[in-house]
Amino acid sequence: MTDERASASCRCGKVALEIAGSPILRGICYCASCQQAGRRHQAVSGADAVLAEDGGTDYVLYRKDRVRCSSGGELLEERRLKPESPTRRMVARCCNTAMFLDFTRGHWLTLYRGRLLGDIPPATMRMMTADRPEGVILPDDIANYPGHSGKFMLKLLGAWMAMGFRRPAVEGVP
């Protein structure tokens, strides 16, 4: 593990996350689920913006064992597109700030890049671009993958191997 550290917080500062180690990857997702969840979130009064104008959601993925909620865990509220969905998006209800996406069957946590404090490097890939809104033309400044790329899957697998194939809970998150 590197000594890289990061932190994230909601807009009012009541919910805070501490992260140790490098991210698995930085990416922008255009899947239909992220777009639908982003629109639902942003439709609530006072919500922060999670969707870019082109329909993408900018994320940074970390291993779950490297993230902990240091304060305000009780203020996190899960939102799912369907009750049975394994994906829950966690929102700080104190200020209606989208914090992260938790694929509960996975070993990683997907933080909204806008929640991370400090100078966070930009995305290195765009994923699920086949689902982007009609008429959106993406630049070729980074890799644009129509689905989940082999590179994306290998990075997730490598992180999971390094974790001993565990799927831990995130400390301090309900």
Side-chain angles (χ1 to χ4, degrees), residues 105-148:
R105 296 180 190 156
H107 59 281
W108 70 93
L109 201 67
T110 307
L111 278 79
Y112 291 96
R113 184 170 180 262
R115 300 294 17 111
L116 291 158
L117 306 174
D119 187 26
I120 305 301
T124 58
M125 67 175 68
R126 292 183 188 92
M127 305 162 287
M128 306 299 292
T129 61
D131 290 346
R132 73 186 180 275
E134 189 174 328
V136 169
I137 306 297
L138 298 172
D140 61 1
D141 54 343
I142 58 177
N144 293 311
Y145 298 106
H148 289 115

Side-chain angles (χ1 to χ4, degrees), residues 64-134:
K64 284 183 179 178
D65 64 347
R66 293 190 174 171
V67 180
R68 76 180 195 91
C69 184
S70 56
S71 65
E74 71 282 358
L75 298 170
L76 291 171
E77 174 181 285
E78 73 176 44
R79 296 188 184 158
R80 297 179 193 247
L81 291 177
K82 299 176 187 169
E84 68 278 4
S85 174
T87 303
R88 63 185 189 154
R89 288 165 176 86
M90 302 299 283
V91 175
R93 69 176 172 266
C94 47
C95 56
N96 205 19
T97 301
M99 294 296 294
F100 57 85
L101 180 151
D102 178 16
F103 177 62
T104 58
R105 296 180 190 156
H107 59 281
W108 70 93
L109 201 67
T110 307
L111 278 79
Y112 291 96
R113 184 170 180 262
R115 300 294 17 111
L116 291 158
L117 306 174
D119 187 26
I120 305 301
T124 58
M125 67 175 68
R126 292 183 188 92
M127 305 162 287
M128 306 299 292
T129 61
D131 290 346
R132 73 186 180 275
E134 189 174 328

Side-chain angles (χ1 to χ4, degrees), residues 2-45:
T2 69
D3 60 358
E4 191 173 330
R5 299 225 175 259
S7 57
S9 73
C10 65
R11 292 178 292 163
C12 73
K14 291 180 181 176
V15 177
L17 304 173
E18 294 176 3
I19 304 135
S22 300
I24 298 169
L25 64 90
R26 295 174 185 92
I28 301 171
C29 184
Y30 292 85
C31 78
S33 294
C34 284
Q35 291 182 64
Q36 181 182 2
R39 286 189 301 271
R40 278 189 190 179
H41 174 73
Q42 290 174 186
V44 176
S45 178

